[in-house]
Amino acid sequence: MFPKDFLWGAASAAYQVEGAWNIDGKQPSIWDEWTKIPGKTFEGTNGDIAADHYHKFEEDVALMKEMGLKTYRFSISWTRILNDGKVNQKGLDFYHNLIDTLIKNDIEPMITLYHWDLPKKLQDTYGGWESTRIIEDFLAYAKVCFDAFHTKVKYWIVMNEPNIFTYQGYVLGVHPPGDVNQMALFLKTFHHTALVHAHTVLLYKNGGYNNKGMIGSSIALTPGIARSESPKDKVALDRYMELNFNWYTDIYFKGTYPKWAWNYYQEQGMIDFEISSQDNDTLKQAASLTDFIGINYYQSTMIADNPYEDGVGVKMFNTDGKKREFEESGIPGLFKHVENPNVEYTDWNWVVDPAGLTHTLRLLKEAYNLPIVISENGLGAFDQVVDGKIHDDYRIDFIEKHIHATKAAIDEGVEVLAYCVWSFTDLLSWLNGYQKRYGFVYIDFEDPNLPRIKKDSFYWYQKLIASQTE
Ligand code: BGP
C-alpha cells in the first residue's frame, strides 16, 4: 500500500491542452509563433485549439472526479494572465474557476508556473532566457500567481524541464528560438532558469505566501546504465551522469554545479556567465528552502565509451512514430547512447525501463534527501478506437510497472509525495502532433466538438486509486 495521503495524479500543460490561444486578452507566446513556422512541428500541428480545455475544463474536471484523481498538475499560461505587465482579469478568472472546481471536487491543484510558453514579447525584446532581465519579469509574473492563488494552492512547480527546453532551443534547434549548436547559450539560459527558480522560491518563502504550501521545480531525468563493466564504459557513464543529470539537479537542489563538469565546460570555452557571490548566496539559500524535487521520468539510456577520433555526435530524435533502427548519438571523447538489448522501445524509440525510475529515486534521495514529486511519467502511443472503446493495455502495463518501481523506492525509504501520469486527456505533443497520445481520456481531434472517451486505462487507474485509498 502507498501512504494514505499519496497524491495519485495526472498532468498537463497550458499550451498543450487549453487552446483559446488568442481570446479573452491572451497575448502570443513563443510557441504560438513557433508552431506557425512551416516545418517546425509534426505536420504543422499547433495548440490553437488543442483539447479546448479552456472551454471544457468543467467536463474534464468531472472526469477527474469520476476517476478519483487526488491531484491535477497543470500550468499557467503567462500570456493569459499578464498583458504588457498589466493583469488580465479574464485570464486570472479562468484559473480561479479551474482551481475552485478542482477543490470543490476534492482534487488538489498542483501548479506549474513555467511550462515553456514564454511571452513572445520577452523573446523579441531581450532574447528571453538569454538575458538576466528575465528574472525581474518572471518574479512579477510569479507574484501575480502567488497573490491570486496562494490561499488555494499548496503545490507549486516553478520550472518544467528547464534542461529540455534550453537544450532543444539552443543545441538541437527544435524548440524556439531554434538556435543550433550554441552550447554556451544553452548553458547560460539553463543557468538563468536556475536563478529564476531560486529567486521565485525565495519570493514564495519570504513573501508571506507559505501557507503550508510546498515549492520545487521539475527536471527531466534520464539516468544512464553502463553498457558493460569495462572501465571505459564506466567512465563514460560517470561523465554522462555528471553532464546530463547532476549538472541539472545540483544547481537546483544544492545551489552549486558539479566540479568535473564545470571544469570540462570551462575548458571547452562554453561557460559564458559568471556567478556573483550574491547569486551564489541566492542559489544556496533557495536550494536549502526548496521543499521537493520534481522529476519527469520517461526513460533510461544505455551509455558506452565514445572515442574522440571518429566518435558519434548529436542526432535528432524520432518525431513521426515510425519505429526505426537505433541510431547512436553522443559526445566524442566522452560517451555515447547505445542500444539497450534488455528493454523494449516505443514507436517513438523511447526506452521502456521502470527500473530506471527506482534507480533515479534512489540517486536523488542519496544526493539531496528531499521529498520527490513524480510530476510526469507515461506512455505516448497510437491508440485505436474500436466500437467506441480504447483498449490501451500497453499503457496500463507501462503505468503499472512504473508504479511498482515507485513503490520499490518508497519501501527503501524514499519519500515520494505524488505520481502524476502524463497526461489526463490526450493533448498536443510539442513536436509529435496529436497522433502521439498519452491520455487516460481519448479525444477525437477530427471532430470539432472534441468529444472525450474514457480509455481502458481510465477505469484501471480509477480502480487502483480506490483500492489504495479506501
Ligand atoms: C515532457 C514535457 C511534456 C510532454 C512530455 C511528453 O518533456 O514536459 O510537456 O510533452 O514530455 O513528451 P512528448 O510530447 O515529446 O512525447
Side-chain angles (χ1 to χ4, degrees), residues 13 16 115-116 160-161 164 296 298 350 376 422 428-432 436 438:
Q16 297 175 277
H115 205 125
W116 307 352
N160 179 68
E161 299 191 354
I164 298 294
N296 293 355
Y298 287 89
W350 289 27
E376 284 180 34
W422 184 267
L428 173 69
S429 171
W430 303 94
L431 301 178
N432 312 278
K436 189 177 187 188
Y438 281 92

Side-chain angles (χ1 to χ4, degrees), residues 240-292:
Y240 166 80
M241 288 301 282
E242 186 113 336
L243 295 174
N244 289 284
F245 195 110
N246 304 333
W247 182 264
Y248 307 131
T249 50
D250 274 8
I251 193 70
Y252 269 70
F253 306 111
K254 268 191 190 152
T256 53
Y257 283 110
K259 269 214 181 71
W260 176 85
W262 177 270
N263 292 341
Y264 168 77
Y265 281 138
Q266 208 162 38
E267 278 163 21
Q268 301 289 316
M270 290 171 178
I271 305 263
D272 180 26
F273 57 88
E274 273 165 25
I275 305 179
S276 66
S277 66
Q278 210 184 342
D279 286 351
N280 194 33
D281 289 350
T282 304
L283 288 161
K284 291 228 170 94
Q285 212 192 335
S288 72
L289 292 172
T290 296
D291 297 300
F292 62 84

